[in-house]
Amino acid sequence: MNATSADTATPLGVARELEHDVPLGRRRRSSRHDFLRRMLVSADVAAAVVGAVVLGLAAGASMREGALLIAGLALAWPASAFICGLYASEDLRTWASGITETPKLALSTLTLSWVVYGAIELVGLSHPAGAALGASAVTGFTAALARASVRAWAHRATQLRERTLMIGSGEVARRVSQRLRAHDEVGLDVVGYLDNEEQEVGSVGMPRLGMLEDLDRILATGAVDRVIIAFSRAGHEELLQCIRVSRDAGVTVDIVPRLFDFLHGARVLDQLGDLPLLSIGPARLARTSRIAKRMLDVVGATMGLLVLAPLLAVIAIAIKLDSKGPVLFAQRRPGRGGKLFRLFKFRSMVPEAEVELRAPGRLVKVAADDRITRVGRFIRRFSLDEAPQLLNVVRGDMSLVGPRPIVAVEIDALTEPWQGRRLDLRPGLTGPWQILGRSHIPLEERVMLDYQYVAGWSLARDLEILLATVPAVLSGRGAY
């Protein structure tokens, strides 16, 4: 169905056309979250069985005792996961990835270890402490792998994807649609939008299915599973009616708040009567938070240097053999508070900006891409050229996570006062836009992501970004 035909079709006719391809289970709006919970419980039970086998072997249990351990652990581990919130899958981030649940997984593992220790003591098996720690660690690790496998399968299952209808049009709707296409793992397929204003065909990248008043008739067909309200010039009462209609139809509603660019780190506090409140704390770090962040930097960067030392040595030798010039490249960049520091990188280009052609006396400017060495192309693809910045982290010039240090020409493009807030923290070896697209993200969006990170900083957010950096680097997405 193209945008032109959608604009001329009646909303009910379009809805019926959409409904034709909707599986029966989707028409009944069976919750994909309930399905994912069941799959996660199954994965956790399987992980508990593996942990119980390890526990039985470590504690020298008999066949009867081993069977009891399997039954007990198969109940205890899912119960621990439930208490720690590992089955709360309504959030799109939780559906898309298990990275955000890592702290909860660690807490569940710790909780389980005490339960197992108490059970071993009661039964009287040998080596209670070691057996409890070993069994819990194996259970947690196996559960993480099993949960990742479940999500990988769920992301590929067509019947679990949600047909999504946008309310509103324009720039915000276009950006939401682009994000959903870029993040296919959240499982949302945009089928079109409703708005009271006519839009140029194709301007928002999706078909117009009608006006806001047509929402209840479209939802009544069962062809839409989710509604996203992404701004509209419609009045307050009309948008409120869209929310009411969607909720009455049992359809999930997502609302993009106004001023969304500045709401990172916001949290729901309570309700003022029937009005939900969002609170944005002052964008500053307490002394204890700065100490915790610095400790994470020192420990993480030191361990990184020790683990990567053989690889760094091989890269240094390869650079030296591949082309003339120093192994390291240093460039002055603005750090915290705008103070300049020397940023280290592995050299990935030939040092000379100009080269002499075969004809004597003729010089030509060589494009940057043509100056990249063979080794340079490889290390850039996997961001290995940035590895020496671990030294900058140890020295205190940088942090493991933070706004990436930009070059002088980019600084000149920052004209708004709020954009300078990115200098409140040390620049990072990785950051929010490194895990979202790296060099493919335009400068304006990078600066916004950096501002959001600084305004909503937390240690948990740093750990989340560090974990997400590994798959982003290995995939090579957005590498320049």
Side-chain angles (χ1 to χ4, degrees), residues 197-276:
E197 295 184 350
E198 293 286 341
Q199 295 287 334
E200 180 182 350
V201 174
S203 63
V204 293
M206 50 187 165
R208 181 171 183 261
L209 304 184
M211 303 178 68
L212 299 186
E213 64 186 25
D214 299 314
L215 177 60
D216 57 344
R217 282 182 286 175
I218 292 178
L219 295 182
T221 66
V224 172
D225 306 297
R226 197 179 197 100
V227 170
I228 297 181
I229 299 179
F231 289 23
S232 173
R233 293 184 181 178
H236 172 77
E237 286 299 323
E238 290 178 281
L239 293 177
L240 186 59
Q241 179 63 16
C242 289
I243 297 175
R244 293 188 184 119
V245 168
S246 300
R247 296 189 66 184
D248 290 345
V251 173
T252 302
V253 182
D254 296 314
I255 303 173
V256 180
R258 297 188 183 276
L259 304 179
F260 66 94
D261 284 335
F262 296 89
L263 288 179
H264 189 275
R267 61 187 183 277
V268 176
L269 279 184
D270 206 336
Q271 286 187 304
L272 182 60
D274 62 347
L275 178 66

Side-chain angles (χ1 to χ4, degrees), residues 11-190:
L12 190 57
V14 171
R16 285 173 175 166
E17 182 181 344
L18 292 174
E19 185 191 25
H20 178 73
D21 296 326
V22 180
L24 180 61
R26 295 287 303 283
R27 294 179 188 172
R28 293 173 178 171
R29 293 200 181 98
S30 58
S31 171
R32 66 174 184 167
H33 303 300
D34 292 338
F35 180 84
L36 180 61
R37 287 192 191 98
R38 291 193 295 270
M39 295 298 293
L40 292 177
V41 170
S42 300
D44 286 339
V45 171
V49 171
V50 174
V53 171
V54 172
L55 174 60
L57 295 175
S62 64
M63 291 291 293
R64 179 178 176 277
E65 292 170 338
L68 291 175
L69 289 175
I70 290 176
L73 210 56
L75 293 174
W77 172 247
S80 176
F82 175 80
I83 293 172
C84 295
L86 283 174
Y87 299 127
S89 61
E90 288 83 1
D91 187 276
L92 283 178
R93 291 195 310 164
T94 306
W95 165 267
S97 170
I99 291 176
T100 56
E101 69 182 15
T102 301
K104 296 178 181 179
L105 191 64
L107 179 60
S108 298
T109 303
L110 181 63
T111 303
L112 182 69
S113 66
W114 286 103
V115 175
V116 174
Y117 179 81
I120 295 177
E121 283 285 351
L122 288 175
V123 176
L125 297 177
S126 58
H127 312 296
L133 289 175
S136 301
V138 169
T139 301
F141 180 76
T142 307
L145 295 179
R147 283 168 162 262
S149 300
V150 165
R151 285 189 171 90
W153 177 86
H155 295 164
R156 295 192 297 268
T158 304
Q159 69 272 21
L160 295 180
R161 302 188 67 82
E162 291 186 338
R163 289 178 176 244
T164 303
L165 179 67
M166 201 81 66
I167 301 295
S169 57
E171 176 62 18
V172 175
R174 184 186 66 81
R175 289 178 64 177
V176 172
S177 180
Q178 286 181 338
R179 296 300 186 278
L180 291 179
R181 286 194 293 268
H183 295 277
D184 188 64
E185 69 275 7
V186 300
L188 304 186
D189 297 325
V190 179

Side-chain angles (χ1 to χ4, degrees), residues 2-18:
N2 56 44
T4 303
S5 64
D7 277 277
T8 58
T10 65
L12 190 57
V14 171
R16 285 173 175 166
E17 182 181 344
L18 292 174

